[in-house]
Amino acid sequence: MTANINGFSKLSKHDKINWIAQTYFSDANDIVELIEQYWNTDEELQKLHDEFIENTITNFYLPFGVAPNFKINDRWYTIPMVIEESSVVAAASKAAKFWSERGGFKATVLGTEKIGQVHFIYKGDKDKLQSYIDSLQQTFLDDTLSITQNMQKRGGGISAIVLRDKTEDLANYYQLHVTFETKDSMGANFINSCLEQIAKTLKHGALSYSEFTEEEKEIDVVMSILSNYVPNCVVRAEVSCPIADLKGKDIADPQLFAEKFVQAVRIAEIEPFRAVTHNKGVMNGVDAVVVATGNDFRAIEAGVHAYASRDGQYRSLSHASIEDGVFRFWIDLPLALGTVGGLTSLHPMVKVALQMLQKPSAAELMQVIAVAGLAQNFAAVKSLTTTGIQQGHMKMHLMNILNQFKATDAERVKVVAHFEKHVVSHSAVVELLESLRK
Ligand code: MEV
């Protein structure tokens, strides 16, 4: 059944739920009850969540887990992760422990530059346009001062405003390519406000620029918006150790392990089908921390994958090498993050996550998140090149299968004990449950 409705956003929350229940469900009463069960009993807390977006009808839970024992630049971290995939937190914790015994992770911020653009159409002489933009540089800064002054006090602001000629790709199309430093804020609102003011200055100034002809004065601003592609806001995370030190519980032959691992990463560097899945493994770690810390995971995803294709082919984000008997594994990730502003001061669990990370600066959070991505990638490629991925994955997925079949506590104990020694598969679990229930 389909239906449409006018004025839905003006209904009360309860009426919204009733409309949905009655329109799409035969068991409307049960659905209303279920949806309302997910409300927080603390009304103030619920109201806070209701007001994050429009038309909130309830909450949608995701597990908030933690991966302890991350040693990053010689400091210990417990990393908060919000994710639904069964094996991710366990894999992160395992990788953290593994590398904490081998020197820990190193992370370095390589740059923190953010970007925004004013896209406009100008029909006229290019040199005159360049002179006009040159003449406006101080006015751009003066006109944006009311927006930038607080940011300037924190050491940020507009770093450069450059004219880019894109007319070879699209007739009469130019950009003002603006670079920003936004310190501990992600800066989306700050950047967009600056850009909208810069666009106004650009357009209005042209009307009185005496060198322009009447047609040249008509600058047409198409849009002003930040870019989520931040190739100069990059952090590097890495691990390394002598090959012999890789020896461990599931690595009997460290030389063979290192060689196979490096080969697996090379495959992801040259083969896009593998690279996408390899990078998905990285993003399992990255997104989980991005969400836990109240950052915008869509922005991060968009920027990271663009970065992975920056030379024209989609490639692995991580790299590995063996040199002089040393195994090295590293990743460069473009991450535009904030630890102030946005959800960071609103969502109670985001506050918990940031406190757990010892109130990091945005640069420190970049380091932690890049490490979470590298750890996740290490865990995945290690499993793939040794035991295969399913062993660990299905072990964690076992709980989901048991929940699906509403296993009792007694059944759980027996099933878990059985699969300590046997390979988990959906059918094997069902078979065992059925035999226990006979
Ligand atoms: C699953 O969520 C992620 C992996 O597929 C990543 C990879 O293949 O490297 C295991």
Side-chain angles (χ1 to χ4, degrees):
M1 172 175 171
T2 59
N4 67 339
I5 177 170
N6 283 328
F8 182 78
S9 68
K10 299 204 174 59
L11 296 181
S12 71
K13 189 158 120 184
H14 196 76
D15 289 345
K16 283 175 188 160
I17 295 171
N18 273 337
W19 184 81
I20 287 166
Q22 273 151 25
T23 310
Y24 295 105
F25 297 86
S26 52
D27 50 347
N29 288 344
D30 293 349
I31 290 303
V32 171
E33 200 176 305
L34 177 68
I35 291 175
E36 293 185 354
Q37 232 172 50
Y38 277 77
W39 286 358
N40 201 293
T41 45
D42 178 337
E43 280 181 25
E44 211 175 308
L45 190 60
Q46 186 54 53
K47 189 164 176 289
L48 177 76
H49 286 267
D50 288 352
E51 291 175 356
F52 284 150
I53 59 168
E54 176 142 309
N55 292 343
T56 306
I57 57 167
T58 191
N59 306 305
F60 184 94
Y61 293 168
L62 281 178
F64 181 124
V66 295
N69 299 322
F70 270 93
K71 193 176 179 193
I72 305 173
N73 296 341
D74 292 321
R75 217 172 141 188
W76 290 101
Y77 289 87
T78 298
I79 299 189
M81 303 180 91
V82 170
I83 189 156
E84 87 300 345
E85 192 174 325
S86 344
S87 52
V88 168
V89 176
S93 308
K94 233 173 136 184
K97 185 122 205 313
F98 183 92
W99 282 107
S100 73
E101 289 158 3
R102 291 161 179 83
F105 293 84
K106 301 276 171 284
T108 322
V109 172
L110 305 177
T112 56
E113 179 189 275
K114 312 272 170 64
I115 291 165
Q117 296 172 318
V118 177
H119 305 268
F120 67 95
I121 302 295
Y122 163 82
K123 294 176 186 157
D125 183 88
K126 290 182 179 182
D127 292 338
K128 275 203 258 174
L129 179 64
Q130 184 64 64
S131 305
Y132 170 59
I133 300 299
D134 292 346
S135 76
L136 270 187
Q137 287 290 331
Q138 190 56 46
T139 318
F140 283 140
L141 299 183
D142 294 344
D143 289 357
T144 48
L145 194 61
S146 64
I147 310 165
T148 58
Q149 57 193 1
N150 277 341
M151 188 63 86
Q152 282 179 24
K153 278 187 208 139
R154 291 192 268 137
I158 297 171
S159 330
I161 304 175
V162 175
L163 175 68
R164 286 191 169 178
D165 179 350
K166 306 294 283 184
T167 53
E168 279 200 4
D169 298 325
L170 188 64
N172 307 316
Y173 165 44
Y174 297 83
Q175 302 165 347
L176 287 179
H177 186 87
V178 188
T179 47
F180 297 87
E181 171 56 55
T182 62
K183 302 309 277 184
D184 287 337
S185 64
M186 192 263 190
N189 283 329
F190 168 73
I191 292 174
N192 289 333
S193 299
C194 286
L195 292 171
E196 288 186 4
Q197 179 53 55
I198 289 170
K200 273 189 202 148
T201 304
L202 170 77
K203 193 169 167 57
H204 293 153
L207 298 174
S208 55
Y209 189 63
S210 59
E211 303 296 314
F212 279 160
T213 63
E214 286 310 307
E215 190 183 24
E216 286 168 341
K217 283 179 180 170
E218 292 303 319
I219 286 182
D220 183 17
V221 172
V222 180
M223 58 191 159
S224 310
I225 185 75
L226 95 167
S227 173
N228 291 122
Y229 183 43
V230 285
N232 296 320
C233 183
V234 173
V235 55
R236 173 167 298 172
E238 58 188 293
V239 285
S240 66
C241 72
I243 289 183
D245 292 357
L246 288 168
K247 200 174 170 86
K249 205 167 72 156
D250 10 271
I251 303 176
D253 183 339
Q255 182 69 33
L256 188 70
F257 169 78
E259 282 170 14
K260 214 167 162 193
F261 192 101
V262 169
Q263 198 64 275
V265 176
R266 294 238 162 91
I267 290 170
E269 283 169 342
I270 57 110
E271 163 54 49
F273 279 92
R274 173 57 201 150
V276 171
T277 317
H278 180 93
N279 291 346
K280 190 274 185 185
V282 171
M283 300 314 283
N284 277 343
V286 169
D287 282 339
V289 193
V290 168
V291 175
T293 56
N295 277 282
D296 179 346
F297 65 93
R298 288 87 56 210
I300 296 296
E301 283 280 340
V304 163
H305 297 296
Y307 190 74
S309 357
R310 65 195 179 283
D311 73 0
Q313 187 191 310
Y314 191 90
R315 296 180 190 281
S316 164
L317 292 156
S318 63
H319 310 281
S321 68
I322 298 174
E323 258 173 63
D324 301 329
V326 173
F327 170 81
R328 183 167 169 250
F329 181 45
W330 73 99
I331 194 165
D332 287 352
L333 283 177
L335 297 174
L337 299 166
T339 53
V340 298
L343 267 198
T344 57
S345 52
L346 285 175
H347 197 301
M349 292 317 293
V350 168
K351 289 191 214 166
V352 170
L354 289 170
Q355 177 65 41
M356 196 186 299
L357 291 171
Q358 301 149 76
K359 298 212 166 110
S361 63
E364 282 161 349
L365 186 59
M366 285 170 79
Q367 297 179 345
V368 169
I369 291 182
V371 164
L374 187 73
Q376 209 64 47
N377 189 212
F378 177 78
V381 176
K382 176 169 173 278
S383 295
L384 287 168
T385 54
T386 54
T387 55
I389 203 73
Q390 283 309 83
Q391 185 179 304
H393 189 77
M394 290 308 289
K395 210 168 157 191
M396 294 306 300
H397 190 55
L398 178 58
M399 288 306 150
N400 289 341
I401 306 175
L402 289 173
N403 283 333
Q404 194 186 337
F405 288 92
K406 299 196 178 354
T408 63
D409 288 348
E411 285 170 343
R412 275 164 198 264
V413 172
K414 285 187 187 146
V415 173
V416 170
H418 174 87
F419 285 107
E420 290 291 330
K421 295 188 206 82
H422 296 88
V423 178
V424 181
S425 73
H426 194 274
S427 56
V429 178
V430 175
E431 231 169 79
L432 181 58
L433 272 176
E434 278 171 356
S435 76
L436 289 174
R437 286 173 180 181
K438 261 182 199 152

